[in-house]
Amino acid sequence: MGKLYERIDGRIREFIEDQPVFFTATAPLAADGHVNVSPKGRAGTLVVLDEMTLAYLDFGGSTAETVAHVRENGRVTLMWCAFTGPPKVLRVHGQGEAVFRDDPRWSGLITRFEDVDGPSARAIVVVHARRISDSCGFAVPFMEYREERTQHAEYFARKTDDEFAAYCAKKEYIGVSLDGLPALPLPLPARAD
């Protein structure tokens, strides 16, 4: 049976910090808009800021659906699954906001990710928890974590900031979402850190 939690602390925080992957779910307000679910990984790219707030790095990729949806309506759910140990699925339903590279908050937030090589960080998504709950996870399979994939970090580490901005500018669904919502600001602001 699932349980509600008042805050992200103790065993809940440990569970979040121990998982090598999490998922984000967002949707536009339009009934015919595309619902988006994205896997997120790379060690150190998600931090618990306080008992009700998390943040993760939004990296370069082919689209910016999560950012677009958060900009439009703020609704976001983060989900973690226990692939080892006792079964558990944990969800944080919240209000999200995208902090872009030219935002005055960027320099303070990016230091929370200092152990991560983030040359392709486009935004920091901050999630203010509204509901924290778990469920049994009995149907989630056991899976063994082997290691981080390095291709993403290696690929973007070879790009200068200007080359990364050019990469973002040429992608069809970076400045706008699949549904035409504003996503990342283009041209991509230079890093403020």
Side-chain angles (χ1 to χ4, degrees), residues 9-147:
D9 64 359
R11 288 183 296 138
I12 296 302
R13 182 176 182 150
E14 288 174 24
F15 178 77
I16 288 171
E17 292 174 340
D18 286 346
Q19 304 313 306
V21 65
F22 67 99
F23 302 86
T24 65
T26 59
L29 293 176
D32 62 346
H34 292 82
V35 173
N36 187 66
V37 178
S38 293
K40 304 291 182 188
R42 292 186 57 187
T45 61
L46 173 98
V47 295
V48 178
L49 297 175
D50 62 42
E51 293 179 334
M52 296 301 288
T53 316
L54 304 107
Y56 70 88
L57 292 179
D58 175 72
F59 286 110
S62 299
T63 66
E65 297 305 300
T66 301
V67 168
H69 296 161
V70 165
R71 286 184 75 182
E72 183 201 35
N73 60 60
R75 297 176 304 165
V76 61
T77 299
L78 306 181
M79 184 185 82
W80 297 263
C81 300
F83 295 112
T84 61
K88 179 191 282 283
V89 173
L90 179 74
R91 290 179 183 85
V92 172
H93 299 264
Q95 186 71 23
E97 61 179 314
V99 176
F100 299 115
R101 296 162 135 215
D102 58 350
D103 187 303
R105 298 172 293 168
W106 176 274
S107 59
L109 285 169
I110 198 70
T111 62
R112 300 297 298 266
F113 304 95
E114 61 190 32
D115 295 336
V116 179
D117 177 15
S120 61
R122 310 180 299 191
I124 299 168
V125 177
V126 178
V127 178
H128 306 280
R130 291 194 170 168
R131 185 176 196 271
I132 306 159
S133 65
D134 67 11
S135 56
C136 69
F138 290 166
V140 175
F142 283 107
M143 294 171 55
E144 187 175 325
Y145 171 76
R146 199 168 71 204
E147 63 188 32

Side-chain angles (χ1 to χ4, degrees), residues 58-64 120 122 152 156 164 167-168 171 173-174:
D58 175 72
F59 286 110
S62 299
T63 66
S120 61
R122 310 180 299 191
H152 188 270
F156 286 109
F164 179 58
Y167 166 89
C168 290
K171 293 289 184 179
Y173 297 112
I174 295 291

